[in-house]
Amino acid sequence: MSTLAEALAMIRSGPQGAQVAAVFDFGGTVVDGLARRSPARKLLRRDDDRAATLVGGIRRGGDDGDYARFLQAVERTWAGAAEADLTQLGRKAFREQIYGRMFPEAWQLVRAHQLAGHTVLLVSELTRFQVQPVAERLGIDTVLCTELAVEDGVVTGHPDGAPLWRTGKSAAVTEFTAGREIGYVYADSVTDLPLLELAEHPTVIDPDPALDAIAAGKGWPVLSFRPRRAPRPVDYLRTIAGFIGLIGGAIVGVARKSYTGKRQPMADALMHDATTATLRAIGVRLRVVGADNARAPRPAVFLFNHQSQFDVIIVPKVLDGAVTGVGKKELANHPLFGPLMRFVGVTFIDRTNTEAAKAALAPVVSTLRAGLSIAVAPEGTRSFTPGVGPFKKGAFHIAIQAGVPVIPVVVRNAGEIAWRDSPVARSGLVDVAVLAPIDVSGWNPADMDDEVDSVRQLFENTLLNWPCEP
């Protein structure tokens, strides 16, 4: 066995530049596929044969018979479908199911290769409808897969050329990388042995028994990725208990400080007791690096990367009082979070209306000047990957106007506790790094693209090179 840290270190210390190719297999390597012979229909909200073929084809492992059955299902269910409809179906399946099965460890490897300037390829025996949405989220430009014949915008159901299976996959990679060095290949199945043998540095990911034996004999490194499991019944029960704990903790917190007659002590107690009870009920532990930065300087604009709905529980727990937030206006009507967020003074903005959003943010400056900190997700939406999306500038404008620093709060693993759009949480460990405050007083509000991007890059660098306690 090897470690992810060792694999990342090898990428950083090895040859750099586009002449080096890094090839990632898809199912079982970048995306955790279904177990063999798993009934795909159980994952679907409705009985849709085309969707069942699309999702069910993403498997961990498999053999010639499995792949033959997949091609037969493609011909049976996709023949006659409009190419645009299948493209839309693939994107819908990604949003609803596939993204939650993407390995965070694979994202780290992909980003390390991209930062090294390598030519990154995502290769699969599956179709573009399954693979392309994942490639786009990972920032991978080159996808090699089994293409389907299309006539007048309609899919025939038959491959257009040789399927990328076994030697077909390695042949496609060899043709594309002509003139480049195939430096790295990552794959999980013995059917990908011809592909792995192309690489100077082959790496095996959670191999099937046959490939495991071959890797041991050849001395190839083997990495183990944590499986991406869907919520279990116990997770639903814990989540219900967490919601009960949230409400109960909020009531207890307000009652505990009601003797003060002051809103802010009651709001702080509400957040402390509600978040503590919720995390305890769900079984989520927090491991915080840089906790001192969460306490001083205050007030400040705390920036956090946004992965799940439970970030609104995790971040307030870490910051622990004297902080409110900014949220999208839809949350104001949330039956559970809405009343609680209104009580603690959250400012709700309409992200679809730029002018209205700017007007709504104006009072936040006064809030900061009065001594209360603000927590903001500068991405503006939850991410589909552990990576960090583009940052909006509103939080930075607020900090400049109020004369306060921004403090990055980097959250790791929250997307594993709860998938992006899922209301169900799993037990586990969430890492949080609170970084040193950043002075923005000298920034030019009219020209701060580079500064904002450097802060975003700081988040990504932290996720790729997680800090340790000094």
Side-chain angles (χ1 to χ4, degrees):
M1 298 293 289
S2 185
T3 68
L4 181 61
E6 290 170 343
L8 294 170
M10 182 174 67
I11 296 167
R12 294 170 187 140
S13 62
Q16 310 286 289
Q19 76 280 1
V20 178
V23 182
F24 288 82
D25 183 43
F26 181 70
T29 302
V30 169
V31 173
D32 191 2
L34 301 174
R36 292 181 62 185
R37 297 179 178 83
S38 291
R41 291 179 190 277
K42 289 186 178 180
L43 294 177
L44 301 173
R45 294 180 178 177
R46 55 195 175 92
D47 186 8
D48 187 298
D49 288 340
R50 289 177 179 171
T53 297
L54 191 147
V55 177
I58 304 173
R59 296 186 180 277
R60 173 176 280 279
D63 53 27
D64 293 343
D66 289 326
Y67 188 57
R69 282 187 285 274
F70 166 69
L71 292 180
Q72 291 167 3
V74 166
E75 181 179 0
R76 183 178 67 254
T77 62
W78 291 3
E83 183 181 22
D85 289 346
L86 289 177
T87 298
Q88 184 178 1
L89 180 63
R91 297 188 185 285
K92 181 171 185 264
F94 173 82
R95 293 191 304 270
E96 294 184 356
Q97 301 170 55
I98 297 171
Y99 84 89
R101 296 183 174 274
M102 294 171 63
F103 288 114
E105 301 93 336
W107 170 81
Q108 288 185 266
L109 290 169
V110 168
R111 285 301 294 144
H113 283 294
Q114 291 169 335
L115 292 172
H118 296 164
T119 299
V120 181
L121 289 74
L122 186 58
V123 59
S124 178
E125 69 277 4
L126 302 178
T127 70
R128 192 168 299 275
F129 309 116
Q130 295 150 304
V131 181
Q132 189 66 42
V134 173
E136 291 173 356
R137 293 294 177 177
L138 292 174
I140 298 176
D141 295 328
T142 302
V143 173
L144 302 178
C145 59
T146 298
E147 299 289 355
L148 298 180
V150 178
E151 297 178 357
D152 297 326
V154 175
V155 172
T156 68
H158 301 288
D160 184 8
L164 269 60
W165 179 249
R166 291 192 182 269
T167 56
K169 189 180 294 185
S170 57
V173 170
T174 300
E175 180 181 358
F176 180 86
T177 56
R180 293 187 179 92
E181 172 193 345
I182 303 177
Y184 306 83
V185 169
Y186 303 88
D188 69 297
S189 172
V190 72
T191 59
D192 293 319
L193 182 60
L195 181 63
L196 286 159
E197 290 177 331
L198 296 175
E200 182 177 347
H201 302 291
T203 300
V204 177
I205 310 297
D206 291 322
D208 56 36
L211 182 57
D212 193 26
I214 294 171
K218 292 179 176 288
W220 290 347
V222 177
L223 296 179
S224 180
F225 291 172
R226 295 186 301 277
R228 326 318 298 162
R229 60 175 175 81
R232 300 170 298 177
V234 66
D235 297 317
Y236 285 89
L237 293 175
R238 283 177 175 158
T239 301
I240 293 171
F243 285 142
I244 294 172
L246 179 68
I247 297 170
I251 294 171
V252 169
V254 172
R256 187 163 59 84
K257 291 293 183 179
S258 61
Y259 71 90
T260 66
K262 297 180 179 179
R263 185 185 187 91
Q264 193 55 49
M266 288 190 284
D268 289 345
L270 181 157
M271 285 195 289
H272 178 274
D273 292 2
T275 57
T276 299
T278 302
L279 294 174
R280 184 178 294 132
I282 295 172
V284 171
R285 295 176 293 114
L286 301 182
R287 183 167 56 189
V288 182
V289 176
D292 288 346
N293 293 325
R295 293 187 283 271
R298 295 282 189 109
V301 174
F302 290 96
L303 308 176
F304 65 94
N305 55 312
H306 202 10
Q307 299 177 52
S308 80
Q309 296 191 56
F310 284 82
D311 293 341
V312 297
I313 302 297
I314 294 167
V315 173
K317 175 61 179 176
V318 172
L319 300 183
D320 198 25
V323 63
T324 184
V326 175
K328 60 183 181 180
K329 72 170 187 177
E330 292 84 355
L331 285 173
N333 298 319
H334 191 284
L336 184 58
F337 293 135
L340 300 180
M341 294 174 77
R342 286 196 295 272
F343 187 86
V344 300
V346 169
T347 298
F348 298 99
I349 61 172
D350 182 358
R351 295 187 310 189
T352 64
N353 187 323
T354 303
E355 293 305 317
K358 289 180 179 179
L361 287 174
V364 177
V365 176
S366 300
T367 298
L368 285 161
R369 289 174 176 167
L372 192 63
S373 295
I374 300 291
V376 183
E379 295 164 280
T381 188
R382 295 184 294 276
S383 174
F384 280 102
T385 74
V388 184
F391 277 7
K392 300 179 185 299
K393 299 176 186 176
F396 299 93
H397 283 293
I398 291 170
I400 293 170
Q401 293 174 39
V404 302
V406 298
I407 300 179
V409 180
V410 188
V411 183
R412 183 172 72 166
N413 305 341
E416 299 176 48
I417 295 299
W419 289 357
R420 181 182 185 272
D421 295 322
S422 174
V424 181
R426 305 161 185 77
S427 61
L429 176 68
V430 174
D431 285 313
V432 181
V434 187
L435 307 186
I438 299 171
D439 182 5
V440 297
S441 60
W443 290 16
N444 179 0
D447 184 19
M448 59 179 179
D449 289 352
D450 291 343
E451 289 87 349
V452 170
D453 190 61
S454 70
V455 176
R456 193 205 68 81
Q457 191 61 51
L458 185 60
F459 275 78
E460 185 164 286
N461 292 343
T462 303
L463 289 167
L464 290 170
N465 305 279
W466 196 256
C468 298
E469 287 283 14

